[in-house]
Amino acid sequence: MHPLPLHLGPGSDLRASLEQLAIEAGASGFVLGVVGDLSQAAFQCPGLEEPTVLQGHLEIITLQGTVAPQGVHLHLSLSDGDCQVWGGHLEHGSLVLRGADLLVGFLPQPGAPQDPAQAAEATAAVRPTAPASPAQPRVEIAVRSGCPYSARALRMLRTLGIPHRVQLADDDAARAAVAERSGLTSMPQVFIDGQPIGGYDALADLHGRGELDHLR
């Protein structure tokens, strides 16, 4: 296993940053440890249809699970100002407050020319809005924190096992850039091979007609 430290600055999206790290490393692995805090936490509780979103000074207690270019599966637990503990599946929109330091362990890949830590060492300041490269997935999705349709679209892609790149579009500039590409202002926006296909409803329609199978 190749350990890789990752520091995230204020405002970084915890989940999106780990997704981007795995894509750039081109390898699968595990989150081995984390210390830090969040200004906002978004997590899926068992039995609830929509993610729970908390805001304030939230201390990360644990973050466990797997990371891979095809997606991540992570469980978060955290404490609020009253020392009440919360937890569930980590969702997009969990934003770093002052800083977060993680240690990710990547598994060796057969035939890889270099270890994942070397491939990803340039991502110490990783951001989910990094430009796409030919090695990245054919599917891109722009999402907004707290948007239920964004959460549903992301869950569909993960459930289907479709590799995808996530762009967090929470500020006006990011949303304007997405709207310029797609011609639409709603969220989420999905792109396949750089071409806009629409939002959650369009993605669900393609899935229902079996037209996403070739992307798995």
Side-chain angles (χ1 to χ4, degrees):
M1 181 176 290
H2 304 287
L4 177 66
L6 175 66
H7 174 74
L8 299 178
S12 300
D13 185 292
L14 186 58
R15 178 178 179 125
S17 296
L18 286 168
E19 288 176 334
Q20 189 68 19
L21 181 69
I23 289 171
E24 298 199 17
S28 303
F30 304 87
V31 175
L32 303 176
V34 60
V35 291
D37 51 15
L38 303 172
S39 61
Q40 177 174 286
F43 51 91
Q44 186 69 42
C45 295
L48 298 184
E49 184 176 350
E50 303 298 339
T52 297
V53 178
L54 300 180
Q55 294 181 328
H57 188 168
L58 308 167
E59 194 74 20
I60 302 173
I61 299 175
T62 62
L63 181 65
Q64 296 179 321
T66 59
V67 297
Q70 297 79 18
V72 302
H73 186 171
L74 297 164
H75 292 178
L76 170 74
S77 67
L78 63 146
S79 174
D80 62 18
D82 296 323
C83 288
Q84 182 176 356
V85 176
W86 302 76
H89 289 272
L90 177 67
E91 297 287 348
H92 292 96
S94 296
L95 307 178
V96 173
L97 176 61
R98 295 176 300 187
D101 290 284
L102 300 95
L103 184 64
V104 182
F106 285 107
L107 301 174
Q109 303 298 300
Q114 57 182 352
D115 67 60
Q118 292 173 329
E121 64 181 350
T123 64
V126 65
R127 290 293 184 270
T129 54
S133 70
Q136 291 184 345
R138 296 172 58 186
V139 176
E140 301 172 70
I141 179 170
V143 300
R144 181 171 58 84
S145 299
C147 169
Y149 290 99
S150 293
R152 290 173 187 172
L154 288 166
R155 192 173 300 117
M156 179 183 296
L157 291 172
R158 293 197 302 269
T159 300
L160 294 175
I162 296 175
H164 55 281
R165 174 179 176 268
V166 179
Q167 177 182 350
L168 188 63
D170 278 350
D171 59 74
D172 291 341
R175 285 194 292 271
V178 173
E180 185 175 354
R181 289 185 65 191
S182 68
L184 301 170
T185 57
S186 59
M187 287 290 163
Q189 287 299 318
V190 181
F191 302 83
I192 298 177
D193 293 331
Q195 299 300 311
I197 63 129
Y200 169 76
D201 289 341
L203 188 68
D205 181 61
L206 288 177
H207 172 48
R209 290 189 273 126
E211 295 182 17
L212 298 178
D213 293 347
H214 67 289
L215 297 170
R216 297 187 180 185

